[in-house]
Amino acid sequence: MIASMDLNALPQPEEDEDPFEPPFEEVTAAAHKIGHVEHIESAVEIARREREERRQRLKRERPDDRPTHAPQPLIYDQMYEKNHRPYDRNKLPPGWLGCPAFGQEIGCMIPSKVPLSESFNDSVPPGKRYSFKQVIHQQRVLGRKLGLVIDLTNTSRYYSASDWKKEGIKYVKIQCKGRDSVPDNEAVNCFVYEIAQFVSRQKHSKKYVLVHCTHGHNRTGYMIVHYLMRSLSMSVTQAIRCFADARPPGIYKPDYVDALYNFYHERKPEMAVCPSTPEWKRSCDLDLNGEAMPDEDDDGDSTAPLHLALVDLGAASSRNSVADPTVENNEVDAVDAVMTNDDVLGDSIPFDQQEALRQFCYQALKLGTGFRGNSQFPGSHPVSLNRDNLQLLRQRYYYATWKADGTRYMMLITMDGCYLIDRNFNFRRVQMRFPCKSGNEALAEKTHHYTLLDGEMIIDTLPDSQKQERRYLIYDLMAVNHVSVVERPFNERWKMLEREVIEPRNYERQHIYQSRNPNYRYDLEPFRVRRKDFWLLSTVNKLLKEFIPRLSHEADGLIFQGWDDPYVPRTHEGLLKWKYPEMNSVDFLFERVDDRQQLFLHERGKKKLMEGNRVKFSDDSDPASFSGKIIECSWVSEEDIWVCMRVRTDKATPNDFNTYKKVMRSIRDNITEEVLLNEIHEIIRLPMYADRIRNDSKAHHHSNTARRR
């Protein structure tokens, strides 16, 4: 097992620290006695010497601060004093005086240390003051007009936000801890969206964004690098260097740098060296023992012990599976928790951004403009197979595929990230790479931007190792780089999906070392991607008897797709699903009131109580624990009762009453596997099928063979 570095772990003593060190003077005197022997200091010796030099210098500069030997209080009291120490709200942030005020512009962004209000003036010499007035004046002298300030500090004590607003400058607060953790992914998404919106609204005169944390290096650099990565085609190394050139020495905390490489799935080059802590920060951040002092970037109201905060951070970051970039096959996954279809993937995004992305989906699907806040999922839904719609197979040309028992997602690919769209029409960002098609077998220089896909997330369990692996099976394409293709027949969309999305991605994976970013690692992405196969109806017998039993994930039936059909949003009466009889199911809202079971469906947007319907749970389950949840139930006709199969965490509403009626019709019709195969055997002998099957079979087989990796 290969262990990965825990960026959230509490700092441990270095191995080169001994319990006793001789005074620095004794060490140097001993060295002079061996004057004729040339000695080259090791890194450990240099670190010890520099630490001792700092200790001696600080003792000379602050003689009154020497510690006294007082009786030691109880450990609990020490912890309480550390977490609840009183502080001066007008105390300067450590290192602030020596820290350069701001850096060079990076696009429209200006990295800066935090401006301090005039209440700090007693602590700041006149020539060192840097208030919002000085910020505006200094930027105006450089020909820059501010339009937005983004404050990343974890406190509100440095200045009043209203100061900016009075000057007509928008102020945005994105609160980020400055110690023990990098900004969380939701905060990053908010930052990137704010900058993108600001840039998009620039019309005639160019305005700038002042971005600051306390010193304008680590949190500020971390956020700006994220924006550069999502708005420009560059590597993490290039983006970090770009920030360092504008704001020397750049990001100097190693965990911030490592987190950026991990987040964007890039191998950290050996030449990438994190700069040392600046002198202005190092000298002010050490106590008399030369040890680091805690930051003051908070409001002094520590609400939880440090270890509890770290536990919460670890849980929040687990969704993105930050892995050690040196592990070739990401073996750290072996110690991860068991994957389930209920796992939440990706990170939430700002509400306004989600609304804008929803509008694009409506337009791409030719649904017009949806009203703000509309959360109705627009994806195409199949209907249950019954003896009436079974006749559609005789009237139109159909292909078949297996019905995977996974989680339904649409996916929107943009230049700044990929977004999984769940059944509640919520968007969550995942870090994936989808290069565009490039001519003449050249590697792509651009990535997809506003390409909309439909598919399902499944969990494969490898038979030999039992290792789990997420895979997104894409079965339809609705838009390619802003262009809607929903009106094209399915067979064209399916071929475009391979040509425009899958092949460029696979080609770059195979030639990654010749690409523009050879350090990118596809194997660290949160899931794999492939196009779902569709087969001629003449192969359905093999599909049921041979293919489905060998699958490494669960399947509960078949899907019949009209080969010439357009993409139909929401309920598609011509898209048919057949389930194994015991797998036919309905999603109910279950409620328990006064020990009475109640099952609800939806009808015209309202709850509809299904009188007389009962549900049975497994013997060890407490029915009360399911109250208020959406449960998937199968029908047991012998007992005239529903049986709970699972909780649908991916759904916020039960099935519509019309869906319920169609499922019940399918249950009553009882189209078994034998009935289905007999019907298909007759259908494929019809002239309209026999001719097309002859023409399609060879080309279809060749396409599948050429595509497999």
Side-chain angles (χ1 to χ4, degrees):
M1 180 179 70
I2 300 177
S4 64
M5 180 171 63
D6 183 4
L7 300 182
N8 294 322
L10 288 168
Q12 298 294 324
E14 295 180 4
E15 293 180 353
D16 60 299
E17 290 185 357
D18 297 324
F20 170 78
E21 294 182 8
F24 180 69
E25 292 81 6
E26 292 182 18
V27 175
T28 53
H32 286 309
K33 292 180 182 178
I34 321 175
H36 65 283
V37 179
E38 183 177 0
H39 175 68
I40 300 176
E41 287 184 299
S42 69
V44 171
E45 291 170 330
I46 292 173
R48 287 176 176 170
R49 177 173 56 77
E50 290 180 346
R51 184 163 56 247
E52 184 61 29
E53 288 174 349
R54 291 196 299 272
R55 181 184 300 160
Q56 296 297 329
R57 184 177 71 249
L58 289 170
K59 285 182 179 179
R60 289 194 299 270
E61 294 175 353
R62 296 186 283 182
D64 296 334
D65 291 343
R66 294 179 183 178
T68 58
H69 298 280
Q72 291 292 327
L74 294 174
I75 294 177
Y76 175 83
D77 292 338
Q78 287 180 334
M79 291 178 62
Y80 183 87
E81 290 295 328
K82 182 177 180 181
N83 288 328
H84 298 271
R85 63 186 184 280
Y87 73 104
D88 181 1
R89 289 187 63 86
N90 291 331
K91 180 181 178 182
L92 294 180
W96 186 90
L97 280 176
C99 175
F102 59 90
Q104 298 299 314
E105 62 185 84
I106 307 172
C108 67
M109 298 172 289
I110 302 168
S112 169
K113 68 180 181 182
V114 59
L116 300 180
S117 70
E118 294 179 356
S119 63
F120 289 84
N121 282 358
D122 290 344
S123 304
V124 184
K128 293 280 190 176
R129 289 173 186 169
Y130 187 62
S131 69
F132 84 96
K133 291 181 180 178
Q134 275 95 9
V135 172
I136 294 173
H137 173 72
Q138 291 173 13
Q139 297 304 321
R140 186 178 293 134
V141 169
L142 294 170
R144 303 170 184 158
K145 184 177 181 181
L146 296 180
L148 172 64
V149 171
I150 298 184
D151 175 4
L152 304 175
T153 63
N154 196 35
T155 180
S156 58
R157 73 182 183 93
Y158 293 134
Y159 60 75
S160 171
S162 61
D163 292 340
W164 301 109
K165 297 173 184 176
K166 291 174 184 176
E167 298 294 327
I169 299 170
K170 182 180 178 182
Y171 171 85
V172 173
K173 178 76 171 182
I174 303 177
Q175 200 158 330
C176 304
K177 293 181 179 180
R179 193 164 178 259
D180 303 312
S181 65
V182 300
D184 61 51
N185 296 337
E186 284 81 4
V188 172
N189 291 342
C190 288
F191 176 85
V192 173
Y193 180 68
E194 286 291 342
I195 299 291
Q197 287 297 102
F198 180 81
V199 170
S200 69
R201 289 168 183 158
Q202 297 282 347
K203 294 181 179 178
H204 306 296
S205 59
K206 181 179 180 180
K207 292 184 179 181
Y208 291 82
V209 184
L210 188 83
V211 183
H212 77 78
C213 48
T214 306
H215 301 98
H217 284 271
N218 294 307
R219 281 170 289 180
T220 296
Y222 186 80
M223 293 296 206
I224 289 177
V225 167
H226 270 288
Y227 177 76
L228 295 176
M229 289 296 299
R230 300 184 191 188
S231 60
L232 301 172
S233 181
M234 60 171 57
S235 66
V236 172
T237 301
Q238 292 170 324
I240 290 176
R241 186 184 303 123
C242 179
F243 176 75
D245 290 344
R247 181 71 168 155
I251 301 173
Y252 54 82
K253 284 188 176 181
D255 51 340
Y256 279 62
V257 173
D258 291 341
L260 285 166
Y261 280 101
N262 289 335
F263 185 91
Y264 289 102
H265 313 312
E266 290 189 22
R267 181 183 290 104
K268 184 179 177 182
E270 293 181 2
M271 66 183 71
V273 179
C274 189
S276 59
T277 304
E279 182 62 31
W280 50 261
K281 176 70 172 172
R282 187 164 55 236
S283 61
C284 294
D285 264 5
L286 301 173
D287 59 18
L288 292 181
N289 293 318
E291 303 298 336
M293 294 175 63
D295 289 338
E296 294 286 344
D297 186 17
D298 56 45
D299 285 323
D301 56 347
S302 179
T303 57
L306 183 60
H307 70 279
L308 290 182
L310 293 177
V311 169
D312 292 341
L313 268 169
S317 63
S318 65
R319 293 192 300 271
N320 288 283
S321 302
V322 175
D324 184 348
T326 63
V327 181
E328 188 61 35
N329 294 313
N330 201 11
E331 296 180 27
V332 293
D333 285 349
V335 300
D336 286 349
V338 175
M339 296 179 185
T340 72
N341 288 328
D342 296 335
D343 294 339
V344 178
L345 305 179
D347 305 299
S348 62
I349 63 174
F351 177 80
D352 287 345
Q353 182 183 12
Q354 178 166 275
E355 285 300 304
L357 298 181
R358 284 177 173 178
Q359 293 302 318
F360 171 77
C361 291
Y362 276 112
Q363 293 166 12
L365 299 178
K366 307 293 185 182
L367 287 172
T369 303
F371 60 85
R372 185 175 174 83
N374 183 9
S375 59
Q376 185 178 2
F377 183 71
S380 186
H381 294 293
V383 297
S384 296
L385 192 68
N386 57 50
R387 294 191 183 272
D388 285 343
N389 59 27
L390 179 61
Q391 302 310 308
L392 289 175
L393 298 181
R394 295 175 176 268
Q395 300 164 17
R396 287 147 61 177
Y397 192 54
Y398 275 85
Y399 265 51
T401 188
W402 77 101
K403 185 180 182 301
D405 189 14
T407 305
R408 171 75 178 278
Y409 288 106
M410 293 197 303
M411 179 192 280
L412 179 61
I413 308 170
T414 71
M415 186 172 66
D416 64 306
C418 297
Y419 301 90
L420 290 177
I421 309 168
D422 65 21
R423 303 269 306 238
N424 298 319
F425 208 20
N426 290 325
F427 290 65
R428 297 185 70 87
R429 187 186 184 281
V430 290
Q431 183 58 38
M432 304 283 287
R433 178 169 173 79
F434 285 89
C436 285
K437 178 185 175 183
S438 182
N440 301 323
E441 295 189 351
L443 287 165
E445 296 186 1
K446 295 182 179 180
T447 57
H448 277 269
H449 194 45
Y450 284 91
T451 292
L452 185 60
L453 311 172
D454 206 348
E456 54 200 341
M457 191 73 67
I458 54 92
I459 299 173
D460 279 326
T461 302
L462 305 184
D464 295 333
S465 64
Q466 294 300 301
K467 180 181 177 181
Q468 290 181 302
E469 192 172 71
R470 289 193 200 278
R471 191 186 301 272
Y472 184 56
L473 301 177
I474 311 172
Y475 50 68
D476 216 329
L477 172 70
M478 296 89 84
V480 181
N481 295 319
H482 278 284
V483 180
S484 174
V485 294
V486 294
E487 294 174 345
R488 297 195 184 194
F490 173 76
N491 66 86
E492 287 188 22
R493 302 195 308 273
W494 192 62
K495 293 170 184 175
M496 287 179 67
L497 171 59
E498 180 73 13
R499 186 172 62 249
E500 301 288 340
V501 179
I502 301 300
E503 285 181 357
R505 179 178 159 89
N506 288 343
Y507 186 81
E508 184 177 87
R509 286 188 65 180
Q510 295 162 9
H511 301 85
I512 191 66
Y513 293 110
Q514 289 81 47
S515 71
R516 295 187 64 181
N517 189 358
N519 290 313
Y520 188 79
R521 294 188 56 185
Y522 278 98
D523 60 305
L524 294 183
E525 291 182 338
F527 49 84
R528 302 189 70 178
V529 172
R530 64 165 290 178
R531 183 183 70 162
K532 197 176 185 186
D533 289 323
F534 285 78
W535 290 277
L536 299 160
L537 284 191
S538 56
T539 65
V540 166
N541 186 60
K542 287 186 177 180
L543 181 58
L544 286 169
K545 305 290 187 183
E546 300 177 21
F547 180 82
I548 290 180
R550 293 204 306 266
L551 282 172
S552 51
H553 59 267
E554 296 296 323
D556 56 5
L558 298 174
I559 294 289
F560 296 98
Q561 169 72 58
W563 202 232
D564 302 313
D565 285 358
Y567 187 89
V568 179
R570 301 190 176 126
T571 302
H572 181 190
E573 298 291 345
L575 182 61
L576 308 176
K577 65 177 178 182
W578 173 84
K579 282 188 172 186
Y580 297 106
E582 67 276 11
M583 300 296 288
N584 267 314
S585 62
V586 174
D587 298 330
F588 292 101
L589 168 63
F590 175 76
E591 292 185 1
R592 189 177 174 88
V593 181
D594 299 330
D595 290 333
R596 290 187 299 107
Q597 292 186 0
Q598 292 183 332
L599 295 176
F600 293 90
L601 295 171
H602 254 205
E603 187 175 39
R604 299 184 181 91
K606 297 180 180 180
K607 290 167 56 176
K608 178 180 177 64
L609 177 62
M610 300 301 294
E611 296 280 3
N613 284 266
R614 297 180 302 115
V615 61
K616 181 170 68 174
F617 298 91
S618 59
D619 294 337
D620 57 347
S621 297
D622 178 12
S625 65
F626 294 88
S627 186
K629 298 179 180 178
I630 307 297
I631 57 173
E632 182 179 359
C633 303
S634 60
W635 179 250
V636 180
S637 55
E638 294 83 359
E639 301 180 39
D640 200 30
I641 197 172
W642 294 99
V643 175
C644 179
M645 301 168 64
R646 60 169 174 157
V647 175
R648 293 297 301 265
T649 58
D650 60 321
K651 297 185 69 175
T653 57
N655 280 147
D656 189 80
F657 184 60
N658 285 330
T659 301
Y660 164 82
K661 290 192 293 184
K662 291 171 183 175
V663 173
M664 294 306 295
R665 169 71 187 277
S666 180
I667 292 172
R668 287 195 303 271
D669 285 356
N670 194 27
I671 301 178
T672 63
E673 183 175 323
E674 182 182 2
V675 171
L676 179 66
L677 290 176
N678 287 338
E679 186 72 19
I680 289 177
H681 180 69
E682 293 183 11
I683 291 172
I684 60 176
R685 297 167 66 185
L686 297 173
M688 64 167 285
Y689 264 97
D691 294 342
R692 291 191 68 166
I693 286 174
R694 247 190 321 271
N695 295 332
D696 287 356
S697 57
K698 183 179 288 187
H700 189 74
H701 176 74
H702 174 74
S703 173
N704 280 341
T705 303
R707 180 170 55 84
R708 295 204 179 275
R709 296 178 286 185

